[in-house]
Amino acid sequence: MKKRKIILMLDSSRSADRGLIRGIVNYSNLRGEWTFYRLSPLFQRLTFAGQSSNDEIWHKLETLDADGLIGYLPDDEILVEKIRSCGFPAVILPVSSRVEGMINIAQDEKTGSMAAEYLIGLGFKSFGYCGMNFHWNTSRQESFSKVIRSAGFGLSVAPEKATGEILVQWLKTLKFPIAIMACNDERAAELIEACVECKFKIPNQVAIVGVDNDEMICTLTNPPLSSIQMNFETVGFNAAETIDGMLSKREVSDISELCCRPTEIVCRASTDILEIEDIEVANAVNFVRNNARRAITVTDVHKNSLLSLRALQLRFRKVLNRSISQEIHRERIAEMCRQLLNTNFTIQQIGYRMEFDDIKHVSRIFKKETGMTPIEYRRKLGSR
């Protein structure tokens, strides 16, 4: 078999792109070593003026006898048409809009809804969204807004190009306490810096969650940033598999896009708060979250409260718009998701560790909640 030569138009300084690269390399190791060509590092492109990324991309396409490319395709109609017209196999991360005639890497709308449900669950009543002018931002903002507004809350959206003083001015218009989703970790870091400049307290006044779980960014911010982990490694694997199929003339014509999906929220100090004024309800929520691996019941929750069972149930529903039983169910499913993605335990072992009586029954409930069986969830969203 001919060794594949693949151009990677990815930025290895970003955690998301490194995840894609890991998945691509994992696939290439299974199929036989591939040769990869990358764009020049950013510091070189900044040092040597006069050559754009587009020029470098086309130069590599013309001179390297490459077989395919994976990564970002700049908004350059001439470059796009050159690649499209020569039938060059490509899996594209669109910048501002979908690239027709090629396989695009898309964003699952659940990213925004996951952030919204998480922040609502913390007890906030005011919400904001801070995005950027990129194609992948759209689905995140729309799904976040849909869940927030469906729950009856208002939403303030920052101007897409707001940075520095403009971002500061937007923050000053908000009603505190407020929970904000940023479209990615880079944007969230800018938001934290603006909050520090305004002397707004995080998370007491402003709780912030980002996307990508770039540990370098998340741990450099003060306070550390909570973020949504995405299945980039799996998508990278699937992208390489798709390119390989195109080159091997296997049937992939029905594939128009590959989808990046959220796997979990990694909680850090930027959202380490329960904005619930009712102390008994807040204590009940904390008890459920701290005991999600155990087969706890409503009675167990009530034993840790000073209220009567009826009073606790009524106040819980009033504050969070769901029952104690629903909260237990919700947290148990979330914990099972974390176990599936972060451990190598079998489904049966996870069920035993979490004290489930009937793993088959739990699997049916899991599929109803997530749309996938536990095995499918691990296969689609876990690392290869």
Side-chain angles (χ1 to χ4, degrees), residues 12 14 21 32 38 90 116 121 132 174 185 188 191 228 240 267 288 303 316 342:
S12 58
R14 301 187 68 249
I21 292 170
R38 299 185 299 121
M132 303 172 75
L174 304 179
D185 293 338
L191 196 57
I228 297 176
C267 303
V288 172
K303 287 178 180 178
F316 198 99
N342 298 322

Side-chain angles (χ1 to χ4, degrees), residues 38-91:
R38 299 185 299 121
L39 293 184
S40 302
L42 178 60
F43 74 89
Q44 287 187 10
R45 298 203 296 272
L46 292 174
T47 303
F48 300 108
Q51 182 182 19
S52 70
S53 295
N54 296 10
D55 294 333
E56 185 180 3
I57 291 168
W58 188 244
H59 176 74
K60 288 184 182 296
L61 290 174
E62 288 186 318
T63 61
L64 294 177
D65 188 30
D67 298 302
L69 61 87
I70 302 173
Y72 299 99
L73 195 58
D75 292 326
D76 183 322
E77 291 184 7
I78 296 176
L79 176 63
V80 171
E81 186 53 38
K82 280 183 177 180
I83 295 173
R84 187 190 289 120
S85 62
C86 68
F88 196 72
V91 175

Side-chain angles (χ1 to χ4, degrees), residues 23-142:
I24 293 166
V25 171
N26 287 344
Y27 181 83
S28 75
N29 288 339
L30 290 175
R31 297 291 294 175
E33 292 185 2
W34 292 5
T35 299
F36 296 106
Y37 302 102
R38 299 185 299 121
L39 293 184
S40 302
L42 178 60
F43 74 89
Q44 287 187 10
R45 298 203 296 272
L46 292 174
T47 303
F48 300 108
Q51 182 182 19
S52 70
S53 295
N54 296 10
D55 294 333
E56 185 180 3
I57 291 168
W58 188 244
H59 176 74
K60 288 184 182 296
L61 290 174
E62 288 186 318
T63 61
L64 294 177
D65 188 30
D67 298 302
L69 61 87
I70 302 173
Y72 299 99
L73 195 58
D75 292 326
D76 183 322
E77 291 184 7
I78 296 176
L79 176 63
V80 171
E81 186 53 38
K82 280 183 177 180
I83 295 173
R84 187 190 289 120
S85 62
C86 68
F88 196 72
V91 175
I92 299 304
L93 277 159
V95 178
S96 61
S97 61
R98 179 182 174 83
V99 181
E100 298 300 329
M102 298 184 193
I103 297 173
N104 288 239
I105 294 178
Q107 300 291 320
D108 194 304
E109 64 179 15
K110 289 182 180 178
T111 307
S113 59
M114 178 183 281
E117 290 164 2
Y118 168 67
L119 295 175
I120 290 172
L122 294 178
F124 284 89
K125 301 293 190 296
S126 296
F127 299 89
Y129 183 87
C130 190
M132 303 172 75
N133 189 27
F134 286 100
H135 174 68
W136 45 262
N137 172 73
T138 304
S139 64
R140 294 179 183 179
Q141 180 176 334
E142 289 178 350

Side-chain angles (χ1 to χ4, degrees), residues 227-282:
S227 185
I228 297 176
Q229 177 70 52
M230 304 291 289
N231 68 330
F232 293 119
E233 194 166 326
T234 299
V235 174
F237 187 98
N238 293 338
E241 185 177 40
T242 301
I243 288 287
D244 193 30
M246 296 168 74
L247 292 169
S248 301
K249 308 301 181 183
R250 295 198 300 270
E251 184 59 47
V252 293
S253 59
D254 60 331
I255 301 175
S256 61
E257 66 180 28
L258 303 174
C259 195
C260 290
R261 295 184 172 89
T263 60
E264 63 174 324
I265 296 180
V266 180
C267 303
R268 298 186 180 89
S270 71
T271 58
D272 188 15
I273 189 173
L274 270 177
E275 190 59 37
I276 297 175
E277 295 179 0
D278 190 319
I279 189 65
E280 288 297 323
V281 174

Side-chain angles (χ1 to χ4, degrees), residues 78-369:
I78 296 176
L79 176 63
V80 171
E81 186 53 38
K82 280 183 177 180
I83 295 173
R84 187 190 289 120
S85 62
C86 68
F88 196 72
V91 175
I92 299 304
L93 277 159
V95 178
S96 61
S97 61
R98 179 182 174 83
V99 181
E100 298 300 329
M102 298 184 193
I103 297 173
N104 288 239
I105 294 178
Q107 300 291 320
D108 194 304
E109 64 179 15
K110 289 182 180 178
T111 307
S113 59
M114 178 183 281
E117 290 164 2
Y118 168 67
L119 295 175
I120 290 172
L122 294 178
F124 284 89
K125 301 293 190 296
S126 296
F127 299 89
Y129 183 87
C130 190
M132 303 172 75
N133 189 27
F134 286 100
H135 174 68
W136 45 262
N137 172 73
T138 304
S139 64
R140 294 179 183 179
Q141 180 176 334
E142 289 178 350
S143 56
F144 182 80
S145 301
K146 182 178 179 180
V147 173
I148 294 298
R149 293 195 166 113
S150 295
F153 300 116
L155 175 70
S156 178
V157 179
E160 286 186 344
K161 297 183 180 180
T163 57
E165 187 59 29
I166 298 176
L167 198 55
V168 166
Q169 292 305 315
W170 175 70
L171 283 169
K172 290 180 178 179
T173 68
L174 304 179
K175 179 182 178 182
F176 298 146
I178 190 169
I180 303 175
M181 176 188 181
C183 65
N184 63 6
D185 293 338
E186 287 94 337
R187 194 65 163 140
E190 291 180 354
L191 196 57
I192 289 176
E193 290 177 6
C195 286
V196 170
E197 182 176 335
C198 296
K199 295 182 170 56
F200 295 148
K201 295 180 180 179
I202 304 170
N204 302 75
Q205 290 178 289
V206 185
I208 301 170
V209 63
V211 181
D212 291 346
N213 193 34
D214 188 325
E215 291 195 8
M216 184 64 70
I217 295 175
C218 293
T219 56
L220 276 176
T221 60
N222 187 17
L225 174 67
S226 296
S227 185
I228 297 176
Q229 177 70 52
M230 304 291 289
N231 68 330
F232 293 119
E233 194 166 326
T234 299
V235 174
F237 187 98
N238 293 338
E241 185 177 40
T242 301
I243 288 287
D244 193 30
M246 296 168 74
L247 292 169
S248 301
K249 308 301 181 183
R250 295 198 300 270
E251 184 59 47
V252 293
S253 59
D254 60 331
I255 301 175
S256 61
E257 66 180 28
L258 303 174
C259 195
C260 290
R261 295 184 172 89
T263 60
E264 63 174 324
I265 296 180
V266 180
C267 303
R268 298 186 180 89
S270 71
T271 58
D272 188 15
I273 189 173
L274 270 177
E275 190 59 37
I276 297 175
E277 295 179 0
D278 190 319
I279 189 65
E280 288 297 323
V281 174
N283 287 339
V285 171
N286 272 323
F287 179 83
V288 172
R289 292 180 179 177
N290 292 336
N291 292 275
R293 293 187 182 184
R294 296 175 48 219
I296 59 173
T297 64
V298 174
T299 301
D300 295 320
V301 180
H302 173 239
K303 287 178 180 178
N304 286 269
S305 172
L306 299 176
L307 301 175
S308 69
L309 177 59
R310 181 62 176 163
L312 179 62
Q313 288 174 323
L314 290 174
R315 283 162 63 166
F316 198 99
R317 184 174 285 279
K318 180 180 179 181
V319 172
L320 294 177
N321 197 32
R322 57 180 175 269
S323 69
I324 299 173
S325 179
Q326 287 172 324
E327 181 70 6
I328 293 172
H329 173 80
R330 179 171 172 266
E331 287 298 325
R332 296 271 281 164
I333 292 295
E335 177 60 26
M336 189 170 183
C337 289
R338 288 189 286 270
Q339 293 278 323
L340 287 167
L341 297 178
N342 298 322
T343 75
N344 292 321
F345 294 121
T346 65
I347 309 301
Q348 288 73 22
Q349 288 171 327
I350 291 172
Y352 177 79
R353 285 163 59 86
M354 294 186 64
E355 301 180 357
F356 287 122
D357 292 330
D358 185 350
I359 193 62
K360 291 183 179 179
H361 175 65
V362 172
S363 294
R364 287 193 292 270
I365 295 174
F366 187 92
K367 184 174 182 178
K368 182 179 179 181
E369 293 293 325

